[in-house]
Amino acid sequence: MTRIAQNPRADDRPIRPIAGWALRRLHSLEDATGLRLIGPLATAETSRRAVVFAVLASRLGSSDPGTLAPRLLSGRLRDLLEDAYGPFPGLLPILRRIGPDPLPVSWLYRRLLSLVRAEDRRGQKELRVLCTVPRITIETFRIIDALPDELLYPEVVAGLSKFTQAQQLADVARFLRRYCPLPDRALARLLAPVANEPPKAMLARTLVAFGRDITPLAHDDDFEVLRDGRRFAELGDKMGLCLRDRILDAALGLTAYLRYRHEPCVAELRRIVTETRGEPPRHDWMIDGLYMTDNLPPTKTLAREILARLTRRGFVRLAMTHSPDLPTWLSEHHGDTTVWLSFLGCEGGRLGGGDDTDPDDLPETPPELMRLAQEFEEMRSSLV
């Protein structure tokens, strides 16, 4: 229910309805004193409305109605605030930033007062933000609550309009801090211009420039694990591979990249998870591809050599295949399901258990066998 003045306006100020908890408290004061408050306050200036709502949310708002009601209309604003909250000179300018409408819940005014009194670093940073934002709303408080200390700067909050944006930005900041040893102020300056939605390219550039210990795998005699951003850039530029763009996937734990020490080749691994009933999920690294300079594939001999060393280390070779007691060509030529015999992204691999014949060397299906198979299919169709 919204209640406004019934009498004509005394000036050109617009009528601003009063609703919610503030309307209910003003209505109680009117009933207790017989003094009209809602009508005059509906056309009052912004500063008076802001102070009146702050006073109604305080203990003073529950004091003697006969004394309080007239002061709401004509009392000195600073005196009202001082009686309600004590001597805090910086409170009135902050209240003006709330605007002419009350905050939707009264306890936010007490939260605001606690920030004005705050002596801890977090509270002072929150107050500094509130003193600079154009408008203080309940969403402003929610945004502030969602941001970690390293992002609690006016320029960052100014780029956010929703609580969900602040949550996502906080996740991005934690993600970058996990790998990039950036000072708080540097991180805030980096994210402030794109606070509402940090682009992938910016995150990748940051990881290339500052990323450390990105992949949790260890080096060995055969493979160098790409861990640092600069190594991604150096090797990618040297071999003509797009490793600068792939670093974001590596930091997210989706992929890992290993340089083969004996030949100019990079292995790409993908993280997979398998679940078996009654067992906890198991995470493994699957071999996804082998890349030589300029994205060229390795020879089959080299691919087998690298794959063998990767599997000895425990990385998974995954493929779909046919029944092991059947010849490969039979399933390739007559199966309804496309059989995936090669490893993902690697033409040279084959899952163990079948013969090691090169698919290119398989004989074509004999014409006589093809004719018999067709006749059999026609006969089966006629029976159905």
Side-chain angles (χ1 to χ4, degrees):
M1 173 180 172
T2 299
R3 184 172 173 182
I4 60 176
Q6 302 295 323
N7 57 315
R9 286 175 287 171
D11 50 41
D12 293 331
R13 283 193 294 268
I15 297 177
R16 296 186 180 276
I18 302 172
W21 65 271
L23 177 64
R24 291 192 293 271
R25 296 191 184 183
L26 287 173
H27 194 250
S28 298
L29 285 174
E30 283 191 343
D31 290 344
T33 63
L35 182 66
R36 293 184 59 83
L37 298 172
I38 299 172
L41 289 173
T43 58
E45 61 181 356
T46 297
S47 294
R48 179 161 295 277
R49 285 171 60 101
V51 170
V52 166
F53 300 140
V55 169
L56 292 176
S58 69
R59 293 181 180 179
L60 184 61
S62 303
S63 62
D64 177 35
T67 303
L68 177 62
R71 296 184 65 193
L72 295 180
L73 297 178
S74 57
R76 189 169 177 263
L77 300 183
R78 293 189 183 277
D79 293 341
L80 277 171
L81 284 179
E82 187 168 333
D83 291 345
Y85 296 104
F88 294 99
L91 188 56
L92 182 56
I94 297 176
L95 290 176
R96 290 195 181 105
R97 293 183 181 275
I98 298 175
D101 299 316
L103 291 170
V105 287
S106 61
W107 59 262
L108 282 177
Y109 288 94
R110 295 188 289 275
R111 161 85 182 273
L112 193 60
L113 176 65
S114 69
L115 295 180
V116 174
R117 293 173 172 172
E119 297 181 357
D120 62 291
R121 183 171 178 269
R122 172 79 188 192
Q124 291 174 354
K125 292 185 74 172
E126 291 183 9
L127 181 62
R128 192 177 303 116
V129 168
L130 292 176
C131 288
T132 56
V133 295
R135 180 79 181 273
I136 297 175
T137 65
I138 188 172
E139 197 70 7
T140 309
F141 286 98
R142 297 183 70 211
I143 288 171
I144 288 175
D145 289 341
L147 293 178
D149 288 352
E150 58 265 28
L151 293 182
L152 202 54
Y153 290 95
E155 61 268 29
V156 175
V157 176
L160 299 169
S161 58
K162 298 179 181 178
F163 169 69
T164 53
Q165 292 176 345
Q167 283 183 313
Q168 292 173 1
L169 188 66
D171 290 340
V172 169
R174 282 189 288 269
F175 167 66
L176 287 178
R177 290 296 290 271
R178 182 175 180 176
Y179 303 111
C180 303
L182 292 171
D184 290 358
R185 198 67 173 126
L187 184 64
R189 289 197 186 101
L190 179 70
L191 294 177
V194 291
N196 60 338
E197 188 176 355
K200 293 181 179 179
M202 185 274 289
L203 297 180
R205 288 196 302 270
T206 305
L207 289 167
V208 167
F210 305 104
R212 301 289 183 273
D213 299 324
I214 288 173
T215 302
L217 297 175
H219 306 301
D220 63 15
D221 293 338
D222 293 321
F223 298 98
E224 173 203 356
V225 180
L226 301 190
R227 291 175 174 173
D228 296 344
R230 292 182 180 178
R231 189 62 180 134
F232 272 83
E234 291 170 359
L235 190 61
D237 295 345
K238 180 180 179 180
M239 295 184 60
L241 303 177
C242 55
L243 292 176
R244 288 176 180 267
D245 299 331
R246 301 294 182 87
I247 192 172
L248 185 54
D249 283 346
L252 291 168
L254 300 172
T255 58
Y257 296 90
L258 283 66
R259 180 185 70 86
Y260 189 50
R261 296 184 186 274
H262 313 297
E263 294 286 345
C265 185
V266 172
E268 181 178 38
L269 309 179
R270 288 193 179 274
R271 188 190 296 269
I272 60 172
V273 59
T274 54
E275 294 188 17
T276 305
R277 187 173 182 179
E279 297 290 336
R282 174 180 171 178
H283 290 258
D284 289 300
W285 290 100
M286 179 189 72
I287 306 165
D288 189 24
L290 301 178
Y291 304 97
M292 303 288 287
T293 301
D294 296 328
N295 267 333
L296 294 176
T299 64
K300 292 183 179 181
T301 300
L302 178 59
R304 289 190 180 99
E305 174 189 322
I306 297 174
L307 289 169
R309 299 191 183 197
L310 287 170
T311 52
R312 278 202 301 268
R313 181 162 169 176
F315 300 130
V316 177
R317 299 170 67 180
L318 181 65
M320 295 172 59
T321 189
H322 53 82
S323 184
D325 58 344
L326 295 176
T328 299
W329 72 266
L330 191 61
S331 61
E332 287 186 334
H333 283 263
H334 300 292
D336 289 334
T337 302
T338 300
V339 180
W340 184 18
L341 294 173
S342 63
F343 300 103
L344 292 175
C346 177
E347 296 180 356
R350 180 180 298 280
L351 195 63
D355 58 59
D356 198 33
T357 306
D358 192 319
D360 294 337
D361 298 333
L362 290 173
E364 294 186 2
T365 306
E368 182 65 18
L369 185 59
M370 290 288 291
R371 184 181 63 79
L372 290 174
Q374 184 176 0
E375 290 178 358
F376 176 77
E377 185 64 29
E378 291 175 353
M379 182 179 66
R380 189 177 66 172
S381 300
S382 64
L383 292 175
V384 175

